[in-house]
Each structure stands twice: as structure tokens, then as C-alpha cells.
Amino acid sequence: MTNLSPANEPSIVAEAEAEQVARDRAGRKPLSGWRMLLPTMTPWLAVGLVLVGAITLFGIFGPYLVGDPRQIRDIGLTPPSGDFLLGTTQTGQDVLAQLAYATRGSLQIGILVGVLATALSAFFGIYGAYRGGFADEAFSLLSNVFLVIPGLPLVIVISGFVPRESRGLWTIAVVLAVTSWAASARVLRAQTLSVRNRDYVAASKVSGEKPWRVIVVEILPNLLPVIASQFVFAVIAAILGEAGLSFIGLGASNSATLGTMLFYAQNGFALSLGAWWWFVPPGLVIALFGMGLSLINFSIDEIINPKLKNLRQHRRRARKAARLERELARASRRSRPRAQETDAARDVEAAKEVSAR
């Protein structure tokens, strides 16, 4: 029988914790290479996926479930009701229909900017660092030039030179992508410089592999978590940047986005008239979508920085150890009265033997 004295409780806790860890490892299947590149499911990641998934589904299928967002009616600034779930604008347009089409437009700009900015940063960062020499110096100089110039004023200047009738989704996406790739390229360059000197990359070069194959097969898989994190951040920055441009009148003139909704709400004096249903929904969608992508980005950071995952695992093990310690403490408290009763019974038996003698 195990002795549950206070002196032995820490060792029992340590043994129980070690047994629990061994059982977890024994029942856990080894992860494949691609599975190790995916973030571990956590409550924060689940919340982020739910938010991003819900808003994405609303932007994709919402326009098919609502009416014409440009239809003008003779009921202006109607609060939310059964006929119009999010009310109407100053000219009687359905806010819910506008929100569905605006969400789709903002998602399109976010994806376009994310893909373009990630492609530019990967080319100038990874290819330049792998080639080295003049190419690396030229790409680094170009990156430094874009880093020195403030991003928002540069976007405003470039958008201001584009004619209003030519400012569509693609134009705004190209402007935002061109002005947002430099910082990511510097990060990828530093990561590539540390990877290109490893043994397996040198072995691929010696075996006569082509440069593009070495980059795609040997270097790029090691940088996928960093690239994924940069893509998520680029999408967030693109949606916020487009909303800022549209709010000051430099956004896409022939497309509906969340920024254009805020722009028209400002021009229609929605805040001063108390029409909260006109400007709160687009702002709330931007905030929730940005929060969801940020939570996903935090989970991706665990792959980039293993210390974060180890810290979370240590906290989980500490909670298990504390739970085991509480259970052992309750078990020891329950066993102590029984031990005292046994000792008392032994004393009584000894007293009877003495009296009998």
C-alpha cells in the first residue's frame, strides 16, 4: 500500500505526472510532416476560424440572399425592422444588402492584396537571398527604399494620381500590395540566409539541382509558417488600408466595400442623425474579421516560435500536476481518519492485553 504521508506527496505527484505524460505520448500518433506545419487547435484558434469562416460565408453567399443594394425607396433612415433587418440609408437603400455586397468587395481586395504582397515579398526576399551578390544587394536596396517611405502617405499619393473612373478593385489592390511587401521581404531574406547554408541545401546544390528546384523543394517548406503569417497580416492590413482610403474618398469608385459604406454614411451625416445601423455594421464586420485573423495569426506564431508552444504545454502540464496534487491531498485527508481509528483500536487491544496479564 502506498504511503500517503506529506513527505512523499511531491514524489507521488511527480510520478503521476510522468505516468500521465507517458500515457499521452503512447496514445498519440506521430504527426506527419505536413501536419506539423499546421497550428495546434486551441480555443483562440477555434474562435478565429469561426469568425473568419462566418464572415467569409456571408460575403460569398450573402449577395445571393438579399435584394438590390442600389434600389432607392421613399423611406429614408428607417431603423431595423422586420422588413429591413438593418434598416435603410438616407435614400431608402437596404443596409443589409449593402453590407453583403460590401463584405464581398472587401474580401476580394484582402485576398488580392494578400496574394500579391506575399508573392512580391517571397520573390524579393527568398530569391534575392538565395542568389546573393548583386541581386541580393539590389533587392535589399529596393526594400529599404520602400521601408523608408511612410506607407499611408505613399498609398494616398499613388491613389490620388489614379483617375477616379479607373480606381477599381484591382487598382486599389495593386496600390496596396506595392506599398506593403517590403517589411515581409526583409523577414524572408533573413530566414533564407539562415536556411541556405544548411547541409541539405548544400547537398542539393552539389547534386546539380536547378536553383528554382532548390528554392521550392528545400528552402520554401521551411518558410511556409512565416509566409502564412505574413499572408494573414497582409489581408488584415489590406482591408484596413482600403477602408481608410475609401473613408477619405480615394477608394474603389465603381465597387462596394466596407470602406465605401463608411464613406457614404459619413457623407449622409449618419452619426449626427443617430442612424447607428448605417455605420456600426460595416465597422463591426471589419473589427470582427480583423480579430479573427489576428487569433489565427497568433496560432501560426506557435509554429514559427516553438517556445510559445512549449510554454503552453508547460502550463497544461502544470494544471494537470496541480489537479493531481489536489486529488492526492483529498485522498490523504480521507485516509488519515482511518489510520487514526486503526491506531486507537490497536491501543485498546494493547490495553486489554496488559489488563489481562
Side-chain angles (χ1 to χ4, degrees), residues 77-93:
L77 293 182
T78 302
S81 61
D83 297 330
F84 301 99
L85 297 179
L86 291 180
T88 60
T89 65
Q90 201 170 26
T91 55
Q93 296 171 335

Side-chain angles (χ1 to χ4, degrees), residues 184-201:
S184 301
R186 298 294 297 178
V187 175
L188 290 177
R189 177 180 179 272
Q191 295 290 331
T192 306
L193 289 176
S194 63
V195 172
R196 72 173 186 177
N197 295 324
R198 296 182 180 177
D199 295 336
Y200 56 87
V201 178

Side-chain angles (χ1 to χ4, degrees), residues 9-81:
E9 286 183 5
S11 61
I12 296 173
V13 172
E15 292 176 1
E17 182 182 358
E19 292 177 359
Q20 182 67 30
V21 172
R23 286 196 297 268
D24 294 342
R25 291 180 178 177
R28 189 182 304 160
K29 296 181 179 179
L31 299 177
S32 60
W34 286 103
R35 180 63 183 86
M36 294 178 65
L37 296 176
L38 299 177
T40 306
M41 181 56 67
T42 59
W44 297 115
L45 178 59
V47 172
L49 291 175
V50 169
L51 289 176
V52 172
I55 294 175
T56 302
L57 291 176
F58 176 70
I60 294 175
F61 299 105
Y64 298 106
L65 304 176
V66 296
D68 186 6
R70 299 181 180 180
Q71 182 180 356
I72 298 177
R73 303 175 181 84
D74 57 353
I75 45 174
L77 293 182
T78 302
S81 61

